[in-house]
Every structure is written in structure tokens, then in C-alpha cells.
Amino acid sequence: MLPTVPPKITMWLQQQTVCESQSVSLFCNVEEGIPEPEVTWTKNEDRTILLTSHSNSSTYSIGHIKGHHFGNYSCLATNAAGTEKKTASLHVKSE
């Protein structure tokens, strides 16, 4: 039987403030996890998945920011051994 290790996330960015019409990238790095975790991004605890990847590094990018992009973006890493979640806050300033 192969060993399993729960995912461990390091979020490179935990809070960012940007002006409308700029772009932003939120980063999530999975340091551990056997088997390789699935990484998903969600916004404001909504169950709608914004992005899914099977990589140790995941980036969620938004171009041309608008006020409705304000919120909390969560990176969730899941495998057979467990789940870990980290959240980054995005604040949007009006021009």
C-alpha cells in the first residue's frame, strides 16, 4: 500500500489591493501531498469552481478588474489523505 500525505498549501499572496481596470494574479503553492492533490479556486465560499488544476503551483488571474471582483478567493488542495484551504482577500479601489 502506498503512503498518503495530506496536502500542505503555501499561499504566496494573502491580501492585495488593486485599482479598477488593472489585472491581478493570485498564487497558491502545494508543498506536499501524496497522491498529487487536485487544486481548485473558489470565491467567497461559493461552491462554484473558478479554476481546477493538478499541479504543485496554481495561479488564478483576473484581467481588467472591476468592483465585483472584490472578495475572498480560496485555494483548496484535496487528495485521498485530506484537504487544506488558504484564502486571499482582494480589495478593489475605484479609479
Side-chain angles (χ1 to χ4, degrees):
M1 183 173 169
L2 294 175
T4 58
V5 177
K8 181 177 179 183
I9 294 175
T10 300
M11 179 75 74
W12 293 330
L13 178 66
Q14 295 180 1
Q15 181 175 333
Q16 186 161 353
T17 301
V18 295
C19 294
E20 285 186 336
S21 77
Q22 290 184 329
S23 61
V24 67
S25 293
L26 303 174
F27 303 99
C28 181
N29 187 46
V30 180
E31 290 184 352
E32 298 176 11
I34 299 172
E36 182 178 62
E38 176 181 74
V39 179
T40 56
W41 285 91
T42 60
K43 180 183 175 191
N44 294 333
E45 301 299 323
D46 188 350
R47 293 185 185 267
T48 303
I49 294 173
L50 303 172
L51 176 72
T52 301
S53 70
H54 291 275
S55 168
N56 290 343
S57 179
S58 182
T59 304
Y60 183 68
S61 298
I62 306 169
H64 203 74
I65 294 285
K66 297 288 185 190
H68 70 271
H69 289 114
F70 166 84
N72 295 313
Y73 291 81
S74 296
C75 173
L76 184 72
T78 305
N79 70 7
T83 299
E84 183 167 35
K85 177 174 79 170
K86 297 286 185 179
T87 301
S89 298
L90 179 63
H91 301 277
V92 180
K93 292 179 8 181
S94 299
E95 291 185 288

